[in-house]
Amino acid sequence: MGSSVRPRHWTGRGAVPQVTCATNRSVMHGADGVQCIFVAPNKINVNVPNDLPSLPYETQMGTSMEQALEWLRAGEPVALPTETVYGLAANALDGHAVARIFAAKNRPAFDPLLVHVDSVASARKYAYLPGWVERALEANGPGPLTFVVPKKDCIPDLVTSGLPTVGIRIPNHPLFLEVLRQLPFPLAAPSANPFGYISPTTAQHVWDQLYGKIPYILDGGACSVGVESTIVDATLPVPTVVRLGGTPVERVEALLGRTVEVRTHSSSRPQAPGLLESHYAPRIPLILVDEHEVVEVPCGWAAVGYRNIAHWIQVDPNRSWLLTPQNNDCEAAANLFAFLRAADSSGAQGIVASRAPQQGLGPAINDRLQRAAHFPA
Ligand code: TXA
Ligand code: MG
């Protein structure tokens, strides 16, 4: 970590948001006197989602594990590859480090972060895991599956936005796991995109959007799964999938040996966030259709089909993508965010995208497309 990669105008800790914890309250002071109050456990009262200063860094991208570790040890956020999407990671036990994630992403502080660990034994240090969750995590191994469980006091309120629960995940990427093994703390990590935009599945995606806002991007190639982890709330009477993702619901049920509920309803200001109606959204309008319909693509628009859109009318061959010509849901998920980005940057005025069949990762793909869909009134 040479001086050349220090933030250009960084004047030390005093210049970044600080978090101090009172009994059940965290008060965050921004450099410019902005304040943000987190009240735990039930009432979340946060008023500075967008006001945290984001610092200019001379961002570097590379494959140096040592650089990534040095920045993380120094309390800085680093983009790391996972099997689902790239995460923006920082020390989950350090409120200062976590505040930098919110600043870099421009993420509202009411939206809690997941905590990443390398093993069930490690997870036990930070959260209370019911036996059935432990068994499921052991049986699954590292993978795109997150459990929401009661948190221990060592996890700062800022990580969970004041909620008494925390999402715990063991990511299945060799670089992320190696980073975790080398560090004495767990890593809080949301997807490494500006809040509300399409999640990154390559290091270049992170670079394109967070350049100047973070010091280092560890390049681990393209993410193999391509959609975020499935989140199961283990604190409800019946285990409930609250976000569809890289582990299909059938697999969750097989792991748990029981049926689960699926409740991924969204609202514009959910009590347990992460289910915002509009998310993963390209900058240009996106409308969602059924692929088998005969669709007339508006002039100047891009098309993102699932398997075959040969019957669509007026498709611009330079602005059309197929998620999976082979009709494979895993391939489609792995391509989804990259193709949405490509369409968004293609100069098109909008995107027509088609739904996936409702099997395997299809529901997770459709969930992302549904939240990405928007059309100006
Ligand atoms: O695959 C993934 O899960 C990726 C990689 C980086 O691990 N992470 C990710 O994090 O998708 P993020 O922050 O982009 O999405 C996590 C979602 C958020 O929408 C958040 O609101 C929700 O999980 N969440 C976090 N903690 C929660 C909690 N205690 N209760 C309910 N929802 C929670
Ligand atoms: Mg995200």
Side-chain angles (χ1 to χ4, degrees):
M1 180 168 71
S3 56
S4 65
V5 289
R6 278 266 168 225
R8 269 174 264 142
H9 306 306
W10 193 49
T11 56
R13 286 242 146 162
V16 304
Q18 295 186 355
V19 180
T20 51
C21 288
T23 41
N24 70 339
R25 237 164 64 128
S26 302
V27 181
M28 181 154 59
H29 302 275
D32 44 6
V34 176
Q35 284 205 349
C36 155
I37 300 174
F38 303 93
V39 180
N42 297 321
K43 230 173 153 188
I44 304 172
N45 178 12
V46 179
N47 57 13
V48 267
N50 299 318
D51 301 353
L52 295 173
S54 61
L55 302 169
Y57 291 89
E58 287 169 18
T59 306
Q60 293 202 339
M61 177 162 68
T63 55
S64 167
M65 173 78 64
E66 269 320 304
Q67 277 212 40
L69 289 169
E70 275 191 60
W71 283 113
L72 289 166
R73 288 190 190 109
E76 299 286 344
V78 171
L80 298 178
T82 84
E83 80 282 28
T84 58
V85 299
Y86 273 71
L88 184 55
N91 181 350
L93 306 183
D94 176 354
H96 295 86
V98 170
R100 287 173 177 275
I101 294 177
F102 283 92
K105 273 186 62 99
N106 209 6
R107 179 173 173 120
F110 65 75
D111 198 358
L113 308 180
L114 305 181
V115 170
H116 297 67
V117 293
D118 65 354
S119 63
V120 174
S122 176
R124 271 193 222 111
K125 292 191 231 161
Y126 311 113
Y128 299 98
L129 305 186
W132 61 270
V133 169
E134 287 197 6
R135 288 190 291 278
L137 282 174
E138 293 285 13
N140 196 46
L145 182 58
T146 297
F147 283 101
V148 171
V149 288
K151 82 177 186 79
K152 291 193 171 172
D153 285 346
C154 55
I155 299 291
D157 286 343
L158 181 55
V159 171
T160 63
S161 301
L163 293 174
T165 57
V166 62
I168 296 277
R169 158 159 145 77
I170 306 175
N172 187 19
H173 192 290
L175 292 183
F176 204 121
L177 285 172
E178 185 55 27
V179 168
L180 285 168
R181 284 186 200 113
Q182 299 285 332
L183 293 172
F185 47 78
L187 291 171
S191 50
N193 50 292
F195 183 72
Y197 193 67
I198 303 164
S199 300
T201 51
T202 66
Q204 186 64 44
H205 293 163
V206 182
W207 176 273
D208 290 344
Q209 294 201 293
L210 293 185
Y211 179 85
K213 300 199 165 173
I214 57 174
Y216 196 68
I217 302 166
L218 183 64
D219 189 346
C223 301
S224 57
V225 174
V227 288
E228 296 85 345
S229 60
T230 300
I231 302 182
V232 180
D233 191 333
T235 67
L236 300 171
V238 176
T240 302
V241 171
V242 295
R243 180 175 72 180
L244 297 166
T247 303
V249 172
E250 310 86 74
R251 165 80 183 149
V252 175
E253 292 185 327
L255 275 170
L256 301 186
R258 59 164 300 169
T259 56
V260 298
E261 282 190 15
V262 179
R263 207 184 306 150
T264 58
H265 305 306
S266 49
S267 71
S268 56
R269 183 70 166 82
Q271 206 274 330
L275 303 172
L276 294 166
E277 256 166 19
S278 174
H279 218 63
Y280 315 103
R283 286 173 293 254
I284 55 178
L286 183 147
I287 56 174
L288 202 48
V289 298
D290 286 325
E291 185 161 286
H292 61 80
E293 288 171 13
V294 177
V295 176
E296 184 171 338
V297 179
C299 187
W301 280 47
V304 178
Y306 186 77
R307 186 178 70 85
N308 173 19
I309 54 172
H311 54 290
W312 287 13
I313 298 164
Q314 214 173 271
V315 174
D316 177 347
N318 297 317
R319 287 194 189 129
S320 69
W321 292 262
L322 283 182
L323 292 180
T324 173
Q326 311 303 324
N327 198 17
N328 174 322
D329 59 306
C330 295
E331 181 185 42
N335 285 331
L336 176 69
F337 288 142
F339 288 2
L340 287 179
R341 271 172 191 267
D344 199 19
S345 337
S346 69
Q349 288 155 38
I351 304 168
V352 182
S354 65
R355 294 184 186 86
Q358 283 286 102
Q359 61 195 25
L361 296 183
I365 293 169
N366 290 336
D367 173 89
R368 301 305 185 272
L369 285 170
Q370 191 63 53
R371 291 176 210 275
H374 66 109
F375 193 77

